[in-house]
Amino acid sequence: MEKGMSPTSQFVQPKDEEYKLEESGKRRKILKDDEHMVVEDRISKLPDQVIVSIVSLLPLKEAAATSLLSRRWRYFWSSTMTLNLEAVNFEDRKTLSYFYQLDDDIREQKGHEYVNWVNHVLEQHRGQSIERFRVIFFLDNDFTSSIDKWVQFAMEKRVQVLELDLLTAWGGFNDDDYTFPYKLLGLEKGSASTHQFSVIPSLSSGGYYNNIGFKSLKVIRFQHVGVTGELVEFFLSNCPLLERLSLTFAKDLVNLRVVGPSIALKYLEIKYCQRLRNIEICDANIVSFIYCGGLISLHLKNVPLLVDVTYYKWNIYAEFTRLVFNQLSPCLSHIEILKLDIRGAVYNQNHVLPILANLKHLQLLVDADNCWSLARLASFMKAAPYMQRLVLGLGFGISSVESAKIEKAAKCAHYYLKEVEISGYRGHKCCVKHVMYLKKNALALEKIVINLVRFWCAPTGYECNVLAVNEEENARDHATQYLKQKMPSTIEYVCL
């Protein structure tokens, strides 16, 4: 459905002919003058619950706008099962930058305005349950009282997807971040040094958790929300449907354990948790694991379903590849998708990567101007003989890219690689060498995609424009006029 379109307009859309709208009793009909053919407003005849489901598919502001359609539609929006409380599009980097640059007092004032709006929406909500509850704004522990009430509201509505996407003025780690209200789960926090919890009498008759709670939870996404490892373990043990967990900038997270086959969790994402020291995943049904941060102690044991791994370092300049492969050794034989950031990592020519027999998709973020860059690429191609798709993100580590000397790499014939994407391409010699090396050694290559200005910025999923306008034009000219001519007709060439 297009933005701004009412729920009924997709069924009745007059074009060149004239229509006359008449109302007979409780039914509205559209009469076509010349043929007197009746077309009924079918949506309004649907059962209430079906209409609520349709309205729940709309953004919240558009859902509220449906109250203007008729008396019957007046309150449907207030039973929506999707409460995506997004007042501002923070995925627009210009908007995000604007909020970053605001004075603290003004940003706090806007925070209060957002809180008042959310409270107003929740006061009007009439639904018995909600599938998704999401708040996103610049909010810290000064707004704890309001956010606690929102969490309680979500618990009472048997929420399935809970997203607290809280932003900070500094954009990074912050001790003033909001802390999750563990007392609502009937837990009591121990000493500040241990962060231990014990069960206490519930805050209401029967307890929020036991009677309502999070037993319907399927997804948790927290950003700038203080949680401890013990609290996370409580969620994992007591939420039988919880399959996805994402924690970003969790200030209190030090140790995390995902242990036991009874845990439903399949997708785990941990990013930028500066105090984190240890992750243990054992006897679990994890399918996908994303980690971005400093070097930690990662223990994997008996994780046969783990096939998708993302590991991005944060200020690690040691022999990163060897360290990561040692940590991933229990699951290397069955990994199908692997994404690594090896920029700045020390390269050991004598280290032979283990064979990744089931790897089909590889993403590497590399320093294209590093003298050993091609040798590293060759080592991964040898280690993944059945790889079918490669995404190569080109970063640059030195100031004078044009003077970079790239050592030649030995031939490495690959018989299964069919598609290559080069992200962050610039018309430098080192970039051309990477493309030519892949063209020459990927014998089954069918397609090359040159992504000019979008720099691969995982694991956030965002794409970042790293080129000025003139650089973008130069890169595009080089990719279309020079690089394309180097490609044989058997290879599909795409320049984005």
Side-chain angles (χ1 to χ4, degrees):
M1 185 181 298
E2 296 181 5
K3 188 174 182 180
M5 182 183 294
S6 69
T8 56
S9 61
Q10 62 173 321
F11 288 88
V12 181
Q13 300 186 45
K15 295 183 180 179
D16 297 327
E17 298 171 288
E18 293 184 356
Y19 285 79
K20 181 179 179 182
L21 183 65
E22 292 189 354
E23 185 166 340
S24 175
K26 295 182 179 180
R27 286 194 311 179
R28 302 176 68 190
K29 299 180 180 180
I30 296 178
L31 304 179
K32 189 178 179 184
D33 287 342
D34 55 349
E35 298 178 5
H36 302 286
M37 184 177 68
V38 177
V39 181
E40 297 182 350
D41 177 5
R42 297 179 182 178
I43 274 197
S44 293
K45 295 181 64 177
L46 293 172
D48 289 0
Q49 191 56 45
V50 175
I51 295 180
V52 169
S53 298
I54 294 173
V55 172
S56 298
L57 298 175
L58 298 171
L60 186 58
K61 292 182 179 180
E62 293 184 15
T66 63
S67 63
L68 302 176
L69 294 176
S70 69
R71 288 184 178 179
R72 187 180 177 219
W73 282 78
R74 185 174 181 182
Y75 296 110
F76 281 135
W77 80 270
S78 63
S79 296
T80 180
M81 293 178 287
T82 302
L83 286 175
N84 182 8
L85 297 156
E86 182 180 28
V88 178
N89 180 18
F90 286 114
E91 290 187 2
D92 180 355
R93 291 186 175 274
K94 291 182 179 180
T95 301
L96 190 60
S97 177
Y98 164 77
F99 273 83
Y100 280 143
Q101 295 172 15
L102 289 176
D103 291 338
D104 291 344
D105 292 342
I106 297 177
R107 187 166 44 246
E108 183 176 357
Q109 178 184 343
K110 290 185 177 295
H112 284 290
E113 292 173 359
Y114 176 79
V115 167
N116 291 336
W117 174 66
V118 173
N119 288 338
H120 181 67
V121 171
L122 302 192
E123 288 171 1
Q124 297 182 77
H125 191 267
R126 298 184 175 189
Q128 297 299 312
S129 63
I130 52 176
E131 295 178 356
R132 184 188 185 196
F133 182 85
R134 181 190 185 220
V135 296
I136 176 170
F137 210 82
F138 283 80
L139 303 174
D140 56 21
N141 57 12
D142 288 340
F143 298 91
T144 292
S145 177
S146 295
I147 302 175
D148 283 355
K149 293 177 181 178
W150 301 346
V151 172
Q152 179 180 333
F153 170 89
M155 294 169 69
E156 293 174 348
K157 298 287 186 176
R158 299 186 295 275
V159 64
Q160 296 181 30
V161 179
L162 178 63
E163 298 174 88
L164 300 180
D165 196 354
L166 308 184
L167 307 175
T168 67
W170 305 106
F173 187 79
N174 194 340
D175 274 327
D176 293 331
D177 284 349
Y178 167 78
T179 298
F180 189 85
Y182 51 88
K183 289 185 178 180
L184 291 182
L185 301 179
L187 300 176
E188 185 175 53
K189 193 174 182 179
S191 66
S193 59
T194 61
H195 295 295
Q196 295 296 319
F197 290 88
S198 59
V199 178
I200 63 172
S202 302
L203 301 183
S204 65
S205 177
Y208 291 123
Y209 176 76
N210 292 331
N211 283 351
I212 307 167
F214 286 2
K215 288 196 173 182
S216 299
L217 258 180
K218 297 180 179 179
V219 179
I220 291 178
R221 293 192 182 97
F222 290 165
Q223 179 172 205
H224 288 291
V225 175
V227 295
T228 65
E230 289 79 13
L231 184 59
V232 174
E233 289 181 48
F234 182 88
F235 281 130
L236 296 178
S237 299
N238 294 280
C239 301
L241 303 179
L242 183 60
E243 292 191 349
R244 293 179 181 268
L245 173 65
S246 175
L247 302 175
T248 303
F249 292 115
K251 64 178 181 179
D252 297 326
L253 191 62
V254 178
N255 299 294
L256 177 61
R257 297 175 73 249
V258 180
V259 179
S262 61
I263 293 175
L265 194 68
K266 294 182 179 180
Y267 304 90
L268 176 63
E269 182 179 52
I270 306 294
K271 298 185 296 185
Y272 314 120
C273 299
Q274 286 183 282
R275 291 178 177 147
L276 184 62
R277 295 292 177 265
N278 179 73
I279 295 180
E280 179 184 359
I281 305 176
C282 180
D283 301 323
N285 297 315
I286 290 289
V287 173
S288 173
F289 174 59
I290 295 176
Y291 175 75
C292 181
L295 189 63
I296 60 170
S297 178
L298 175 63
H299 300 279
L300 301 174
K301 183 180 179 181
N302 191 23
V303 283
L305 301 181
L306 182 56
V307 296
D308 186 349
V309 174
T310 299
Y311 201 133
Y312 297 140
K313 65 182 180 59
W314 192 3
N315 298 328
I316 302 174
Y317 300 102
E319 198 177 328
F320 175 69
T321 305
R322 181 197 289 270
L323 293 172
V324 169
F325 274 66
N326 286 342
Q327 291 183 338
L328 298 180
S329 58
C331 60
L332 285 177
S333 62
H334 48 79
I335 287 182
E336 298 179 6
I337 301 173
L338 180 62
K339 304 173 185 178
L340 296 175
D341 176 0
I342 60 174
R343 291 176 299 171
V346 174
Y347 175 61
N348 184 345
Q349 301 179 57
N350 299 318
H351 178 225
V352 179
L353 299 180
I355 298 298
L356 307 171
N358 280 308
L359 191 69
K360 302 296 188 299
H361 180 118
L362 174 65
Q363 289 189 194
L364 286 177
L365 188 54
V366 303
D367 286 320
D369 51 3
N370 184 284
C371 63
W372 296 110
S373 185
L374 287 182
R376 283 179 168 173
L377 177 58
S379 67
F380 275 94
M381 293 176 67
K382 290 178 181 178
Y386 303 107
M387 173 175 57
Q388 297 178 10
R389 188 171 189 270
L390 170 67
V391 178
L392 199 62
L394 303 181
F396 304 94
I398 64 177
S399 57
S400 180
V401 179
E402 287 297 343
S403 63
K405 294 182 179 180
I406 310 298
E407 296 291 336
K408 291 184 178 181
K411 293 182 179 181
C412 180
H414 200 289
Y415 300 94
Y416 288 85
L417 184 56
K418 296 181 179 180
E419 182 176 344
V420 169
E421 178 177 344
I422 306 295
S423 181
Y425 180 82
R426 304 183 191 182
H428 302 313
K429 292 180 180 179
C430 58
C431 298
V432 175
K433 286 186 177 181
H434 283 76
V435 177
M436 294 299 105
Y437 184 82
L438 290 167
K439 185 200 76 169
K440 184 177 180 180
N441 289 278
L443 303 182
L445 193 61
E446 298 176 354
K447 184 177 183 179
I448 289 184
V449 178
I450 304 297
N451 205 333
L452 292 173
V453 299
R454 295 181 181 88
F455 189 63
W456 188 48
C457 192
T460 62
Y462 294 122
E463 294 178 335
C464 180
N465 190 331
V466 295
L467 298 181
V469 175
N470 61 327
E471 291 179 312
E472 177 181 342
E473 293 175 354
N474 293 337
R476 187 174 301 279
D477 289 343
H478 189 275
T480 54
Q481 296 179 17
Y482 174 80
L483 200 58
K484 185 176 182 179
Q485 296 178 2
K486 299 290 184 180
M487 296 297 129
S489 59
T490 55
I491 298 178
E492 180 184 357
Y493 181 82
V494 179
C495 181
L496 300 179

